Amino acid sequence: MKFCFRLTIAAAALAGWWSAPAVAQIELSTRLDHSVYLQFEPVIARTTVKSSIGQAVVFNSETGDGPRFYYRVNDDFGHQMPPLPDIKRPDPVLMPAQASLTFTNNMLHYYQLSKPGFFSVQPCVDWMGKTYSGPKQHIEVVVGREVMRVTGRVPADGTTRTYKILHLNRKQQDYILLRIDDEDASLCYGVFSLGRSVMSEKTELVVDGSGNAHVLYKTAPTVFNHLTYSPFGSLIEKKSFGEEYSVINLKTQADGSVSSAGKIETDRGPKPVQSIINNR
């Protein structure tokens, strides 16, 4: 009887062990900054890869015998999209045994995500004849609402630039972005997030004599930002003005440069009265 009882327990334990789900050797998770992006705005994917492998492995090795990391992207019809032609092969990365690492990639460099629509991004690893995949992240690419635009000449090469301020609502908050285009060459130099904006205050956009774009906008109830971008999409300078300024404007100087000038509020109301009475 005891023998049968022990045999039953052993069989049950074996059955439980046999039916227990196996722990994946590779686990993946991806984080995106937003769920809604403007056309040509960078889509930065940060993927964490956790390995339960008991030995060091080389991801994306040139010999192809190690794990291969990549992204699977589907369009709004569920069709898998091909990667862009002639993309750069990722560099090999050594992962120690039972460790984790993070891959950071701009998805615009790998897939055609510059057209409006819905897309899903899923991290994958191929290794030893098996594909490991993480949860899908869903995004929407939109045109955005154009707030204003100006066109300026770039004396350095004789080309022109069209600078656009675009508005986008993210999580019920107003954001503005700067887009830089050479429309004659059908070339976009990028879309750059300027941050939150108080839309009730008018944004200023001016091009200086060198073709640089100057953007002045209110980012908080008492804070203004003045950002300067080159015609090629580099942030040249950022200035902030606090609550001591009552009025801020962009002014074009005689030499073609642009500066931000403000009026400092000298009379900011009565100051608190310091009582000499002992409050007890």
Side-chain angles (χ1 to χ4, degrees):
M1 183 70 178
K2 290 182 179 180
F3 174 76
C4 294
F5 180 69
R6 290 175 182 174
L7 183 61
T8 303
I9 294 178
L14 181 61
W17 172 82
W18 184 263
S19 61
V23 178
Q25 288 185 299
I26 298 176
E27 297 180 358
L28 303 99
S29 61
T30 295
R31 181 173 63 86
L32 302 177
D33 294 329
H34 312 290
S35 59
V36 180
Y37 291 86
L38 285 184
Q39 284 182 288
F40 300 106
E41 182 182 4
V43 181
I44 306 300
R46 298 174 179 86
T47 298
T48 299
V49 181
K50 295 183 179 180
S51 170
S52 300
I53 304 173
Q55 62 183 18
V57 292
V58 178
F59 275 75
N60 305 321
S61 65
E62 296 180 358
T63 58
D65 56 354
R68 183 175 72 92
F69 172 77
Y70 62 96
Y71 290 98
R72 182 184 294 132
V73 176
N74 290 358
D75 60 18
D76 48 4
F77 295 102
H79 300 151
Q80 184 172 341
M81 299 175 58
L84 295 174
D86 301 326
I87 60 174
K88 180 183 176 182
R89 181 186 179 89
D91 296 327
V93 179
L94 175 64
M95 172 182 276
Q98 298 182 347
S100 64
L101 56 83
T102 299
F103 292 97
T104 302
N105 296 279
N106 183 357
M107 299 304 299
L108 293 186
H109 296 164
Y110 298 92
Y111 290 91
Q112 181 60 267
L113 297 178
S114 57
K115 295 183 179 180
F118 294 89
F119 305 91
S120 65
V121 178
Q122 184 178 31
C124 300
V125 169
D126 288 345
W127 190 54
M128 301 289 288
K130 184 176 181 180
T131 298
Y132 301 86
S133 58
K136 294 181 179 179
Q137 300 296 320
H138 299 274
I139 64 172
E140 181 183 7
V141 177
V142 299
V143 177
R145 180 177 67 87
E146 184 175 324
V147 178
M148 62 179 62
R149 70 165 65 192
V150 296
T151 301
R153 184 174 177 273
V154 183
D157 57 9
T159 59
T160 59
R161 293 291 184 274
T162 299
Y163 298 99
K164 302 176 186 177
I165 297 295
L166 302 171
H167 168 261
L168 184 63
N169 188 279
R170 282 177 170 149
K171 297 181 179 180
Q172 300 182 347
Q173 294 181 345
D174 294 310
Y175 287 80
I176 58 173
L177 301 92
L178 174 67
R179 175 169 171 167
I180 305 175
D181 287 281
D182 182 345
E183 295 185 335
D184 294 334
S186 300
L187 179 63
C188 177
Y189 281 91
V191 175
F192 310 95
S193 178
L194 307 182
R196 293 179 57 186
S197 175
V198 179
M199 298 304 294
S200 59
E201 295 284 341
K202 183 179 179 181
T203 300
E204 294 187 42
L205 176 60
V206 178
V207 180
D208 64 23
S210 299
N212 302 316
H214 296 257
V215 186
L216 179 68
Y217 63 99
K218 196 171 188 179
T219 187
T222 58
V223 179
F224 283 85
N225 283 343
H226 173 198
L227 276 65
T228 306
Y229 277 85
S230 79
F232 305 98
S234 299
L235 177 62
I236 299 175
E237 187 178 21
K238 178 180 179 179
K239 295 180 180 179
S240 294
F241 299 87
E243 60 181 1
E244 65 272 16
Y245 289 86
S246 60
V247 179
I248 302 290
N249 295 108
L250 294 179
K251 292 187 177 181
T252 302
Q253 308 300 324
D255 60 356
S257 63
V258 174
S259 62
S260 48
K263 178 182 178 182
I264 298 180
E265 186 67 54
T266 56
D267 183 11
R268 301 175 62 186
K271 296 181 179 180
V273 177
Q274 299 294 328
S275 176
I276 62 173
I277 301 176
N278 187 11
N279 295 321
R280 291 185 295 176

